[in-house]
Amino acid sequence: MLDDTTGNAHSFQVDMRGLVDLLSHHLYSSPRVYLRELLQNAVDAVTARQRVEPTAPTAIRISLDEAGLRIDDPGIGLTEADVHRFLATIGRSSKRDDLEGARQEFLGQFGIGLLACFTVAEQIRVLTRSATASEAPGVEWLATSDGTYSVRRLAPHERAVSGTTVYLTPRAGAERWFAPDLVIELARDFGSLLPYEVTVDTNGRTIRTTDSPPVWNRAYDSAAARRAALIEYGERVLGFTALDVVELDVELAGIRGAAYVLPQAANPADRSRHRVYLKGMLLNDATTGLLPEWAFFVRCVIDTDTLRPTASREGLYEDETLVAVREALGVRLRDWLTGLAAQEPQRLAAFLSVHSLGVKAMARHDAELFRIMLPYLMWETTDGRVTLAEFARKHPVVRITPTVEEFRQIATIASAQGVGVINGGYTYDSELVALLPGVMPGVVVEKLGSDVVTASLDPVDGADELALAGFMATARSTLDPLGCDVILRAFFPASVSALHLDSRAVRNEQTRAEIAADADDLWAEILGALKSTEPRAQLVLNHRSPVVRRLATIRDRALLVTAIEALYGQSLLMTHRPLRSVDTALLNRAFDELLGWASQNVTGSAEGNGKA
């Protein structure tokens, strides 16, 4: 095409449909980013003009009507050469790698950012005039989603002022992205912290969508007022009322913002997602990788001018700068915690009541923080829930169980015998207890074994044990097929008739034996080679228990076997551990037989009374 009155116009057919597919399915997560790209182009253009003309206007205006969307900026504008460089060149790219490379090169320029509008637009029309080349005419760039575009020089009356206007015509099926309420919401979401005023004109209304300066850059009458403003802002943008707030100010990295402490316990497996702005423009409200992995108890809102965005500008590029920022923000959170410990223990206690797991995760890598937190972090122990420092002062030899199940097996008994034990089965607890000797000299940490427990129980007098030899022989023969030995000890409390002791290795061996019993010859042979030499499980009968003493007087062997099985089953239930199928069957059988024996006794007694 050629227009002699206005200059040269050009037409070039490109695979725009493939380009739109790449933009919408590979580079951008949602069509909603089209408005961010328009705003980013406008902001960068205004910023560029401010550098050469500080008194130039800065307001950016979005307008909506039945024809579509229009955005005006009084920025630096483009010459015809710029248009060819930033638009025609990118338009010829149809490969994903080319797009991502171009996005990096033309970040904040028209390039890929403007072409992202084809995810929602049928036609894009750009009218622009350079503020630096005052003699150069304005330029029109007009492109449609069928792959055709043209470049035309404008007559003076068509573009008299510097800056750029972009018109978008909705494509079929994308009209909802031009709805006034949604456009206003997107403008606020992406651009609330922008340094220039942004307004949306629609239906006779003018809505301002910017709210700068950011809340953390404002002056307040008091520290309390500042904290209240930060909390209110976090509630508005993150959707929850924070338990506490930590200001983030890393000047060397160009970071300002706040970390908001979640009001409920967080899952360490969940990756923390943060709201990150780049020079006032929202990159993403679910950005990962900003903080160390242990800081899963906070959500951040930050503005930065140094971190590098990915090609889609929806995440952060993993480079040395991000690593340094992550470390600096981690130090800031650590300093906040140590400051609370020194100055505001009540706030620290409130925080730890919800997020002790996060602090434990942090303390694994920071011995000094571990030492500072010792008087505050709580552990489950045989002395109840106490701090590790308090427990270690009372028990210089700190014994720990590797699992919750093993702690539950012996907690009551160990407590009654004066043996101090910590439950190491919860996340990070075993790792931290192992570090205890390094911060509390003289403390010894040992893994609790069944031999330690049995050694703490009182032996039974030889004559008493001899008198129960028959009972013990029956008990051992009854439980031997279940892989369980039986011993007799005396311990408190007397209300506990039997104590079941095993280990993870013992349970693994039991599982192996069960599987081998049901396997074919080949698998049985393979599993047989894996047989463990670990000691077997133990049932410790309590000689102080009235129940055990009564059982020892039973002369009916069938009844005695059933009673022993019931005692074994009860000891398993006390461990709070899932039962094996063989144990469940034993419990059901013992229960049924005891009921049958009891009903026969009641019936026989009643008949005897009747005859009398």
Side-chain angles (χ1 to χ4, degrees), residues 331-343:
V331 169
R332 176 68 188 95
L333 290 174
R334 176 195 181 278
D335 290 346
W336 169 73
L337 277 173
T338 56
L340 288 185
Q343 302 171 14

Side-chain angles (χ1 to χ4, degrees), residues 244-513:
D244 213 329
V245 61
V246 186
E247 288 203 57
L248 304 176
D249 185 356
V250 185
E251 185 176 352
L252 292 178
I255 299 283
R256 289 298 307 273
Y260 292 88
V261 179
L262 293 168
Q264 69 284 326
N267 186 343
D270 290 341
R271 300 187 67 187
S272 296
R273 300 177 183 275
H274 311 285
R275 191 175 183 88
V276 176
Y277 293 83
L278 179 59
K279 298 179 182 178
M281 180 68 73
L282 178 69
L283 286 181
N284 202 328
D285 59 2
T287 303
T288 59
L290 181 66
L291 295 182
E293 290 185 2
W294 50 257
F296 51 83
F297 53 87
V298 297
R299 298 292 180 267
C300 293
V301 183
I302 67 159
D303 187 24
T304 175
D305 58 11
T306 60
L307 295 179
R308 180 183 170 193
T310 57
S312 66
R313 287 170 46 82
E314 294 180 295
L316 296 174
Y317 191 82
E318 185 72 26
D319 58 12
E320 292 181 357
T321 302
L322 180 57
V323 171
V325 165
R326 187 184 298 135
E327 182 178 347
L329 294 179
V331 169
R332 176 68 188 95
L333 290 174
R334 176 195 181 278
D335 290 346
W336 169 73
L337 277 173
T338 56
L340 288 185
Q343 302 171 14
E344 300 182 77
Q346 289 184 335
R347 278 177 65 190
L348 177 64
F351 169 77
L352 290 177
S353 67
V354 179
H355 294 297
S356 60
L357 188 61
V359 177
K360 288 180 179 180
M362 193 184 337
R364 290 182 305 154
H365 309 289
D366 192 327
E368 178 61 17
L369 179 66
F370 182 41
R371 185 189 64 77
I372 292 171
M373 290 293 115
L374 274 180
Y376 306 100
L377 290 173
M378 306 296 287
W379 261 259
E380 183 178 3
T381 76
T382 47
D383 292 349
R385 284 192 61 80
V386 298
T387 68
L388 205 53
E390 179 183 350
F391 184 85
R393 283 193 293 269
K394 185 177 179 181
H395 303 281
V397 177
V398 175
R399 295 184 171 89
I400 183 168
T401 62
T403 67
V404 175
E405 290 83 0
E406 289 177 58
F407 178 80
R408 288 171 175 169
Q409 278 182 278
I410 55 82
T412 302
I413 307 302
S415 178
Q417 310 308 123
V419 177
V421 183
I422 292 177
N423 184 352
Y426 295 115
T427 307
Y428 309 132
D429 282 9
S430 290
E431 297 172 69
L432 290 174
V433 172
L435 299 175
L436 195 56
V439 295
M440 293 187 71
V443 172
V444 177
V445 175
E446 293 180 356
K447 181 179 176 181
L448 181 72
S450 58
D451 56 331
V452 175
V453 178
T454 53
S456 69
L457 307 179
D458 295 334
V460 178
D461 181 78
D464 291 334
E465 189 161 10
L466 183 62
L468 297 176
F471 166 68
M472 292 296 295
T474 302
R476 288 176 180 131
S477 63
T478 300
L479 299 183
D480 182 69
L482 297 174
C484 183
D485 294 330
V486 184
I487 62 175
L488 185 66
R489 293 289 187 274
F491 54 87
F492 293 102
S495 59
V496 176
S497 302
L499 174 64
H500 186 273
L501 296 176
D502 65 7
S503 64
R504 182 172 294 181
V506 169
R507 294 195 294 275
N508 289 341
E509 169 59 21
Q510 290 174 338
T511 301
R512 184 209 62 79

Side-chain angles (χ1 to χ4, degrees), residues 83-138:
V83 169
H84 283 289
R85 178 189 173 200
F86 294 128
L87 296 177
T89 302
I90 301 301
R92 292 189 178 96
S93 289
S94 59
K95 296 181 181 179
R96 182 180 177 186
D97 291 344
D98 292 341
L99 285 174
E100 293 186 348
R103 190 67 183 91
Q104 295 287 353
E105 179 182 357
F106 300 121
L107 177 61
Q109 300 293 338
F110 271 69
I112 290 298
L114 183 62
L115 294 184
C117 295
F118 274 121
T119 59
V120 298
E122 177 65 27
Q123 176 180 277
I124 302 174
R125 182 182 180 218
V126 178
L127 301 181
T128 183
R129 184 172 182 179
S130 174
T132 57
S134 57
E135 300 301 321

Side-chain angles (χ1 to χ4, degrees), residues 148-165:
T148 302
Y149 78 89
S150 63
V151 178
R152 180 174 67 90
R153 295 175 191 164
L154 298 174
H157 69 275
E158 291 181 282
R159 187 74 189 186
V161 298
S162 302
T164 301
T165 300

Side-chain angles (χ1 to χ4, degrees), residues 16-83:
M16 194 66 75
R17 292 184 181 84
L19 178 63
V20 170
D21 177 71
L22 284 169
L23 290 170
S24 58
H25 295 102
H26 299 289
L27 198 59
Y28 298 110
S29 61
S30 166
R32 72 195 298 268
V33 300
Y34 88 93
L35 193 69
R36 182 195 67 193
E37 297 300 332
L38 287 175
L39 283 173
Q40 188 66 65
N41 286 337
V43 167
D44 287 348
V46 170
T47 301
R49 186 172 182 182
Q50 286 290 298
R51 290 173 182 163
V52 297
E53 192 180 343
T55 60
T58 59
I60 298 167
R61 187 177 69 183
I62 300 172
S63 305
L64 295 166
D65 57 28
E66 63 280 356
L69 180 145
R70 165 181 173 171
I71 180 169
D72 294 274
D73 74 72
I76 199 72
L78 299 174
T79 63
E80 183 177 0
D82 293 333
V83 169

